[in-house]
Amino acid sequence: MNVNKKKIYPQWFIVLPLVIYVLFFLLPSILGVGYSFTDWSSKSAKTGIHFVGLKNYIDIFTSNKNYVQGILHTLMFTVVSNIIKLIPALFLAILLNESIKCRGLYRTLFYLPSILPFVIIGLIFKSILNYNNGLLNAALEFLHLGFLKQKWLSDLGVVWKSIFAVDAWRGVGYVMTIFIAGLSAIPSSYYEAASIDGANFWQKLRMITLPMLKGSIMINLVFGITYGLKVFDIIYVLTNGGPGHATEVLTTYSFQLYSTGQYGMSTAMNTVLLIITAIIGVGVVKMMSRQEG
Amino acid sequence: MMKRRISAVLKQAVCILLSIIVIAPFYMVLINSFKGKSEAARMSLSLPAEWLFSNYAEVIEKAKLWQGLGNSLLYALVSTFIGVILSAMAAFVLSRNKIKLNKFLYFFILCGLFFPINYVTLIRVLQFFHLNDTRIGIIITFTGAMIPFCVFTIYNFISSVPTEMDEAAVIDGAGPLSLFFRIIVPMLKPTMVTCFILQFMTVWSDFLTPLYLSSKSKMFPMTMSVYQFFGKNKNSWNYIFADIILTCLPVIIVYLLGQRYIIGGLTSGAVKE
């Protein structure tokens, strides 16, 4: 059989997908690293592209344009948005893994927001969070909680909270769904045995649920972290980085630099993101290849 | 007994409350899409004074919705179809013939799960192939970006497909292509459908790729044309809401039809543990 392997499983099956992946996905990233050391800009058609060394990176880390803050925002968003989604989603999954009425309907419903385009969600919440006639402030007034009214998207103190809330509204159901699948694979006899031993909810959670959910937690973290680092749409549509530059992240700066024709700077910004994701990605892939054996 | 009933009621209450939080925005959008301009601007949850179904007809024309729909369908269907088939072929060989090179290639492709696309230099690459500002350029970008995820998902599934079938088919004189398309693809159907649905919805929702890659509005998919429409008609919320409903409808339909595949696919990696 070994002799035939090359014939039944021809290597050329891999060539086309590999070429597309390398040319249109990987190559731009590698080129980006190269261009990040140049003064490439919209004027380069006339003046040519020159090697400028680390100038772009020095600009990013020392200029007064808050690029560093954008990078920090990206990291902050990644950490906070994951915590905000994972913990409630876990409890929701545990709740919907029990036999409660209409649980199929709830599962379908809670997952629904995560299939919608971010742009749409951004637009919907732009209207809901509108100070004067948005649904949220109207609801607060209706409940006689008018004192809680906020300028949700323009007040520096609340704007990030609004973004996180919208992000959670969309994402909790997705995380929950992955947890439910993990939960359904845990044999119920474990819990029965633990109940006989007199374990309470928290003990069962710590000793059975969490260790058995390792795979689902891992998947959620990988998806969540890569999503967080690349976040763009929701911030672009909700606040466009504002008020001022208060909610600017790495990708919004990168787009801004691109649209103002500073291509070299934009690719440098992207390279920073590439390095951050590469460090995390290599770690995860290493862990997976260890499992693969 | 009493305690159990109280806890059941509490759990239902939590679920109902969360359901309201999920549904309220949808309801608000739907109900206001039938109102007149000034009534919709108040964004209340009350029923319209007069049901203006004509909003939809008007917005389809004003926002050039057919064009957006056509582009979205073209991008999503073609890129996903090609991407899933190519990924399945690669995953098949990578998983069946685990020589050193193929193990390396598998993890090489997996790296793409994490990396961001560098659009600025991508445009440069597309220019080189004379594909910038073309629909083919956008499609091939989407295809390239989905390959890591699809290879990863399908690769995990293939290991559960027995190899005896391969051998039998080859003994019967089948070539690799007919082995793959006639024997393997039917067995991979569930995971390929999952990849197709998930990636279809990803492409449909994508905003960043067309934002960078299409400078002409006639190439905009629905997400872009909604956003552009919003920019031009900031006060006509009735039209914007109608546009939102029409943009969401296709993905919601795909979701409801393919729901069991989505859940199965999302979790194929998670349950393996």
PDB file of all heavy atoms in Angstrom, chain A residues 55-79:
ATOM      1  N   LYS A  55      12.442  54.169  10.833  1.00  0.00           N
ATOM      2  CA  LYS A  55      11.768  55.451  11.039  1.00  0.00           C
ATOM      3  C   LYS A  55      10.271  55.305  11.360  1.00  0.00           C
ATOM      4  O   LYS A  55       9.768  55.936  12.286  1.00  0.00           O
ATOM      5  CB  LYS A  55      11.945  56.321   9.803  1.00  0.00           C
ATOM      6  CG  LYS A  55      11.373  57.705   9.978  1.00  0.00           C
ATOM      7  CD  LYS A  55      11.631  58.568   8.765  1.00  0.00           C
ATOM      8  CE  LYS A  55      10.857  59.864   8.833  1.00  0.00           C
ATOM      9  NZ  LYS A  55       9.408  59.684   8.799  1.00  0.00           N
ATOM     10  N   ASN A  56       9.581  54.438  10.577  1.00  0.00           N
ATOM     11  CA  ASN A  56       8.142  54.291  10.804  1.00  0.00           C
ATOM     12  C   ASN A  56       7.849  53.793  12.213  1.00  0.00           C
ATOM     13  O   ASN A  56       6.911  54.255  12.864  1.00  0.00           O
ATOM     14  CB  ASN A  56       7.540  53.316   9.795  1.00  0.00           C
ATOM     15  CG  ASN A  56       7.537  53.900   8.399  1.00  0.00           C
ATOM     16  OD1 ASN A  56       7.419  55.101   8.236  1.00  0.00           O
ATOM     17  ND2 ASN A  56       7.690  53.041   7.395  1.00  0.00           N
ATOM     18  N   TYR A  57       8.666  52.828  12.661  1.00  0.00           N
ATOM     19  CA  TYR A  57       8.428  52.281  14.000  1.00  0.00           C
ATOM     20  C   TYR A  57       8.732  53.325  15.067  1.00  0.00           C
ATOM     21  O   TYR A  57       8.023  53.430  16.066  1.00  0.00           O
ATOM     22  CB  TYR A  57       9.273  51.021  14.221  1.00  0.00           C
ATOM     23  CG  TYR A  57       8.810  49.890  13.350  1.00  0.00           C
ATOM     24  CD1 TYR A  57       9.428  49.620  12.134  1.00  0.00           C
ATOM     25  CD2 TYR A  57       7.698  49.135  13.715  1.00  0.00           C
ATOM     26  CE1 TYR A  57       8.971  48.613  11.311  1.00  0.00           C
ATOM     27  CE2 TYR A  57       7.232  48.127  12.909  1.00  0.00           C
ATOM     28  CZ  TYR A  57       7.878  47.862  11.701  1.00  0.00           C
ATOM     29  OH  TYR A  57       7.414  46.873  10.894  1.00  0.00           O
ATOM     30  N   ILE A  58       9.786  54.105  14.829  1.00  0.00           N
ATOM     31  CA  ILE A  58      10.112  55.169  15.787  1.00  0.00           C
ATOM     32  C   ILE A  58       8.956  56.161  15.837  1.00  0.00           C
ATOM     33  O   ILE A  58       8.517  56.582  16.908  1.00  0.00           O
ATOM     34  CB  ILE A  58      11.441  55.852  15.397  1.00  0.00           C
ATOM     35  CG1 ILE A  58      12.581  54.843  15.574  1.00  0.00           C
ATOM     36  CG2 ILE A  58      11.684  57.092  16.264  1.00  0.00           C
ATOM     37  CD1 ILE A  58      13.897  55.269  14.974  1.00  0.00           C
ATOM     38  N   ASP A  59       8.401  56.477  14.644  1.00  0.00           N
ATOM     39  CA  ASP A  59       7.251  57.379  14.606  1.00  0.00           C
ATOM     40  C   ASP A  59       6.080  56.815  15.399  1.00  0.00           C
ATOM     41  O   ASP A  59       5.415  57.535  16.146  1.00  0.00           O
ATOM     42  CB  ASP A  59       6.800  57.604  13.150  1.00  0.00           C
ATOM     43  CG  ASP A  59       7.645  58.661  12.474  1.00  0.00           C
ATOM     44  OD1 ASP A  59       8.563  59.181  13.146  1.00  0.00           O
ATOM     45  OD2 ASP A  59       7.402  58.942  11.289  1.00  0.00           O
ATOM     46  N   ILE A  60       5.835  55.530  15.212  1.00  0.00           N
ATOM     47  CA  ILE A  60       4.695  54.917  15.903  1.00  0.00           C
ATOM     48  C   ILE A  60       4.873  55.015  17.411  1.00  0.00           C
ATOM     49  O   ILE A  60       3.953  55.376  18.140  1.00  0.00           O
ATOM     50  CB  ILE A  60       4.537  53.433  15.502  1.00  0.00           C
ATOM     51  CG1 ILE A  60       3.996  53.336  14.070  1.00  0.00           C
ATOM     52  CG2 ILE A  60       3.597  52.703  16.462  1.00  0.00           C
ATOM     53  CD1 ILE A  60       3.927  51.927  13.548  1.00  0.00           C
ATOM     54  N   PHE A  61       6.083  54.730  17.875  1.00  0.00           N
ATOM     55  CA  PHE A  61       6.255  54.632  19.331  1.00  0.00           C
ATOM     56  C   PHE A  61       6.629  55.950  19.995  1.00  0.00           C
ATOM     57  O   PHE A  61       6.654  56.026  21.216  1.00  0.00           O
ATOM     58  CB  PHE A  61       7.271  53.533  19.669  1.00  0.00           C
ATOM     59  CG  PHE A  61       6.697  52.164  19.445  1.00  0.00           C
ATOM     60  CD1 PHE A  61       7.029  51.414  18.333  1.00  0.00           C
ATOM     61  CD2 PHE A  61       5.768  51.642  20.355  1.00  0.00           C
ATOM     62  CE1 PHE A  61       6.474  50.166  18.113  1.00  0.00           C
ATOM     63  CE2 PHE A  61       5.206  50.392  20.145  1.00  0.00           C
ATOM     64  CZ  PHE A  61       5.556  49.654  19.025  1.00  0.00           C
ATOM     65  N   THR A  62       6.954  56.977  19.200  1.00  0.00           N
ATOM     66  CA  THR A  62       7.323  58.229  19.865  1.00  0.00           C
ATOM     67  C   THR A  62       6.470  59.423  19.470  1.00  0.00           C
ATOM     68  O   THR A  62       6.480  60.438  20.152  1.00  0.00           O
ATOM     69  CB  THR A  62       8.798  58.604  19.566  1.00  0.00           C
ATOM     70  OG1 THR A  62       8.934  58.743  18.159  1.00  0.00           O
ATOM     71  CG2 THR A  62       9.757  57.553  20.082  1.00  0.00           C
ATOM     72  N   SER A  63       5.695  59.312  18.355  1.00  0.00           N
ATOM     73  CA  SER A  63       4.978  60.509  17.924  1.00  0.00           C
ATOM     74  C   SER A  63       3.865  60.832  18.914  1.00  0.00           C
ATOM     75  O   SER A  63       3.471  60.006  19.734  1.00  0.00           O
ATOM     76  CB  SER A  63       4.372  60.302  16.533  1.00  0.00           C
ATOM     77  OG  SER A  63       3.112  59.704  16.661  1.00  0.00           O
ATOM     78  N   ASN A  64       3.364  62.052  18.797  1.00  0.00           N
ATOM     79  CA  ASN A  64       2.313  62.466  19.741  1.00  0.00           C
ATOM     80  C   ASN A  64       0.933  62.111  19.215  1.00  0.00           C
ATOM     81  O   ASN A  64      -0.059  62.633  19.667  1.00  0.00           O
ATOM     82  CB  ASN A  64       2.418  63.976  19.984  1.00  0.00           C
ATOM     83  CG  ASN A  64       2.443  64.732  18.672  1.00  0.00           C
ATOM     84  OD1 ASN A  64       2.343  64.124  17.594  1.00  0.00           O
ATOM     85  ND2 ASN A  64       2.565  66.040  18.737  1.00  0.00           N
ATOM     86  N   LYS A  65       0.884  61.205  18.229  1.00  0.00           N
ATOM     87  CA  LYS A  65      -0.419  60.904  17.627  1.00  0.00           C
ATOM     88  C   LYS A  65      -1.123  59.722  18.288  1.00  0.00           C
ATOM     89  O   LYS A  65      -2.066  59.169  17.747  1.00  0.00           O
ATOM     90  CB  LYS A  65      -0.253  60.630  16.139  1.00  0.00           C
ATOM     91  CG  LYS A  65      -0.064  61.908  15.343  1.00  0.00           C
ATOM     92  CD  LYS A  65      -0.676  61.790  13.977  1.00  0.00           C
ATOM     93  CE  LYS A  65      -0.597  63.084  13.199  1.00  0.00           C
ATOM     94  NZ  LYS A  65       0.185  62.939  11.978  1.00  0.00           N
ATOM     95  N   ASN A  66      -0.637  59.265  19.438  1.00  0.00           N
ATOM     96  CA  ASN A  66      -1.353  58.242  20.210  1.00  0.00           C
ATOM     97  C   ASN A  66      -1.414  56.865  19.562  1.00  0.00           C
ATOM     98  O   ASN A  66      -2.293  56.082  19.877  1.00  0.00           O
ATOM     99  CB  ASN A  66      -2.797  58.670  20.495  1.00  0.00           C
ATOM    100  CG  ASN A  66      -2.834  59.863  21.415  1.00  0.00           C
ATOM    101  OD1 ASN A  66      -1.964  59.987  22.282  1.00  0.00           O
ATOM    102  ND2 ASN A  66      -3.800  60.719  21.233  1.00  0.00           N
ATOM    103  N   TYR A  67      -0.499  56.579  18.634  1.00  0.00           N
ATOM    104  CA  TYR A  67      -0.530  55.245  18.036  1.00  0.00           C
ATOM    105  C   TYR A  67      -0.339  54.172  19.106  1.00  0.00           C
ATOM    106  O   TYR A  67      -0.969  53.116  19.065  1.00  0.00           O
ATOM    107  CB  TYR A  67       0.571  55.099  16.982  1.00  0.00           C
ATOM    108  CG  TYR A  67       0.373  55.998  15.791  1.00  0.00           C
ATOM    109  CD1 TYR A  67       1.392  56.827  15.348  1.00  0.00           C
ATOM    110  CD2 TYR A  67      -0.839  56.007  15.113  1.00  0.00           C
ATOM    111  CE1 TYR A  67       1.210  57.658  14.254  1.00  0.00           C
ATOM    112  CE2 TYR A  67      -1.025  56.838  14.022  1.00  0.00           C
ATOM    113  CZ  TYR A  67      -0.003  57.661  13.603  1.00  0.00           C
ATOM    114  OH  TYR A  67      -0.197  58.475  12.530  1.00  0.00           O
ATOM    115  N   VAL A  68       0.544  54.480  20.075  1.00  0.00           N
ATOM    116  CA  VAL A  68       0.795  53.505  21.141  1.00  0.00           C
ATOM    117  C   VAL A  68      -0.487  53.230  21.910  1.00  0.00           C
ATOM    118  O   VAL A  68      -0.802  52.081  22.230  1.00  0.00           O
ATOM    119  CB  VAL A  68       1.902  54.014  22.089  1.00  0.00           C
ATOM    120  CG1 VAL A  68       2.093  53.046  23.250  1.00  0.00           C
ATOM    121  CG2 VAL A  68       3.197  54.195  21.330  1.00  0.00           C
ATOM    122  N   GLN A  69      -1.236  54.312  22.129  1.00  0.00           N
ATOM    123  CA  GLN A  69      -2.493  54.127  22.835  1.00  0.00           C
ATOM    124  C   GLN A  69      -3.429  53.213  22.045  1.00  0.00           C
ATOM    125  O   GLN A  69      -4.117  52.368  22.616  1.00  0.00           O
ATOM    126  CB  GLN A  69      -3.151  55.485  23.068  1.00  0.00           C
ATOM    127  CG  GLN A  69      -4.096  55.459  24.229  1.00  0.00           C
ATOM    128  CD  GLN A  69      -4.919  56.720  24.308  1.00  0.00           C
ATOM    129  OE1 GLN A  69      -5.241  57.339  23.276  1.00  0.00           O
ATOM    130  NE2 GLN A  69      -5.262  57.113  25.503  1.00  0.00           N
ATOM    131  N   GLY A  70      -3.421  53.366  20.722  1.00  0.00           N
ATOM    132  CA  GLY A  70      -4.240  52.496  19.873  1.00  0.00           C
ATOM    133  C   GLY A  70      -3.849  51.034  20.041  1.00  0.00           C
ATOM    134  O   GLY A  70      -4.709  50.150  20.120  1.00  0.00           O
ATOM    135  N   ILE A  71      -2.536  50.786  20.101  1.00  0.00           N
ATOM    136  CA  ILE A  71      -2.061  49.413  20.279  1.00  0.00           C
ATOM    137  C   ILE A  71      -2.503  48.881  21.642  1.00  0.00           C
ATOM    138  O   ILE A  71      -2.996  47.759  21.760  1.00  0.00           O
ATOM    139  CB  ILE A  71      -0.522  49.356  20.136  1.00  0.00           C
ATOM    140  CG1 ILE A  71      -0.125  49.767  18.717  1.00  0.00           C
ATOM    141  CG2 ILE A  71       0.007  47.974  20.465  1.00  0.00           C
ATOM    142  CD1 ILE A  71       1.365  49.979  18.529  1.00  0.00           C
ATOM    143  N   LEU A  72      -2.364  49.726  22.661  1.00  0.00           N
ATOM    144  CA  LEU A  72      -2.782  49.307  24.000  1.00  0.00           C
ATOM    145  C   LEU A  72      -4.289  49.059  24.049  1.00  0.00           C
ATOM    146  O   LEU A  72      -4.753  48.120  24.699  1.00  0.00           O
ATOM    147  CB  LEU A  72      -2.378  50.355  25.044  1.00  0.00           C
ATOM    148  CG  LEU A  72      -0.864  50.514  25.241  1.00  0.00           C
ATOM    149  CD1 LEU A  72      -0.564  51.624  26.244  1.00  0.00           C
ATOM    150  CD2 LEU A  72      -0.240  49.195  25.707  1.00  0.00           C
ATOM    151  N   HIS A  73      -5.049  49.904  23.338  1.00  0.00           N
ATOM    152  CA  HIS A  73      -6.503  49.689  23.287  1.00  0.00           C
ATOM    153  C   HIS A  73      -6.821  48.324  22.696  1.00  0.00           C
ATOM    154  O   HIS A  73      -7.730  47.636  23.161  1.00  0.00           O
ATOM    155  CB  HIS A  73      -7.170  50.774  22.432  1.00  0.00           C
ATOM    156  CG  HIS A  73      -7.385  52.054  23.158  1.00  0.00           C
ATOM    157  ND1 HIS A  73      -7.541  53.251  22.516  1.00  0.00           N
ATOM    158  CD2 HIS A  73      -7.457  52.323  24.480  1.00  0.00           C
ATOM    159  CE1 HIS A  73      -7.700  54.212  23.411  1.00  0.00           C
ATOM    160  NE2 HIS A  73      -7.653  53.671  24.606  1.00  0.00           N
ATOM    161  N   THR A  74      -6.089  47.955  21.637  1.00  0.00           N
ATOM    162  CA  THR A  74      -6.326  46.650  21.022  1.00  0.00           C
ATOM    163  C   THR A  74      -6.120  45.534  22.042  1.00  0.00           C
ATOM    164  O   THR A  74      -6.949  44.625  22.166  1.00  0.00           O
ATOM    165  CB  THR A  74      -5.377  46.451  19.827  1.00  0.00           C
ATOM    166  OG1 THR A  74      -5.757  47.350  18.792  1.00  0.00           O
ATOM    167  CG2 THR A  74      -5.453  45.042  19.289  1.00  0.00           C
ATOM    168  N   LEU A  75      -5.020  45.627  22.792  1.00  0.00           N
ATOM    169  CA  LEU A  75      -4.745  44.593  23.800  1.00  0.00           C
ATOM    170  C   LEU A  75      -5.816  44.615  24.896  1.00  0.00           C
ATOM    171  O   LEU A  75      -6.314  43.566  25.318  1.00  0.00           O
ATOM    172  CB  LEU A  75      -3.353  44.801  24.407  1.00  0.00           C
ATOM    173  CG  LEU A  75      -2.197  44.653  23.417  1.00  0.00           C
ATOM    174  CD1 LEU A  75      -0.869  45.008  24.075  1.00  0.00           C
ATOM    175  CD2 LEU A  75      -2.143  43.239  22.851  1.00  0.00           C
ATOM    176  N   MET A  76      -6.175  45.819  25.319  1.00  0.00           N
ATOM    177  CA  MET A  76      -7.197  45.950  26.357  1.00  0.00           C
ATOM    178  C   MET A  76      -8.521  45.361  25.872  1.00  0.00           C
ATOM    179  O   MET A  76      -9.167  44.596  26.575  1.00  0.00           O
ATOM    180  CB  MET A  76      -7.345  47.443  26.696  1.00  0.00           C
ATOM    181  CG  MET A  76      -8.241  47.779  27.848  1.00  0.00           C
ATOM    182  SD  MET A  76      -9.927  48.123  27.372  1.00  0.00           S
ATOM    183  CE  MET A  76      -9.818  49.679  26.510  1.00  0.00           C
ATOM    184  N   PHE A  77      -8.890  45.690  24.628  1.00  0.00           N
ATOM    185  CA  PHE A  77     -10.137  45.163  24.080  1.00  0.00           C
ATOM    186  C   PHE A  77     -10.117  43.631  24.073  1.00  0.00           C
ATOM    187  O   PHE A  77     -11.097  42.988  24.435  1.00  0.00           O
ATOM    188  CB  PHE A  77     -10.361  45.678  22.653  1.00  0.00           C
ATOM    189  CG  PHE A  77     -11.616  45.168  22.016  1.00  0.00           C
ATOM    190  CD1 PHE A  77     -12.816  45.834  22.191  1.00  0.00           C
ATOM    191  CD2 PHE A  77     -11.612  43.996  21.261  1.00  0.00           C
ATOM    192  CE1 PHE A  77     -13.983  45.359  21.623  1.00  0.00           C
ATOM    193  CE2 PHE A  77     -12.775  43.510  20.695  1.00  0.00           C
ATOM    194  CZ  PHE A  77     -13.956  44.197  20.882  1.00  0.00           C
ATOM    195  N   THR A  78      -8.981  43.067  23.663  1.00  0.00           N
ATOM    196  CA  THR A  78      -8.885  41.614  23.577  1.00  0.00           C
ATOM    197  C   THR A  78      -9.120  40.963  24.941  1.00  0.00           C
ATOM    198  O   THR A  78      -9.882  40.010  25.059  1.00  0.00           O
ATOM    199  CB  THR A  78      -7.495  41.219  23.048  1.00  0.00           C
ATOM    200  OG1 THR A  78      -7.255  41.938  21.842  1.00  0.00           O
ATOM    201  CG2 THR A  78      -7.412  39.740  22.781  1.00  0.00           C
ATOM    202  N   VAL A  79      -8.473  41.497  25.962  1.00  0.00           N
ATOM    203  CA  VAL A  79      -8.602  40.906  27.301  1.00  0.00           C
ATOM    204  C   VAL A  79     -10.018  41.099  27.839  1.00  0.00           C
ATOM    205  O   VAL A  79     -10.700  40.142  28.216  1.00  0.00           O
ATOM    206  CB  VAL A  79      -7.569  41.534  28.265  1.00  0.00           C
ATOM    207  CG1 VAL A  79      -7.801  41.046  29.685  1.00  0.00           C
ATOM    208  CG2 VAL A  79      -6.159  41.202  27.801  1.00  0.00           C
TER     209      VAL A  79
END
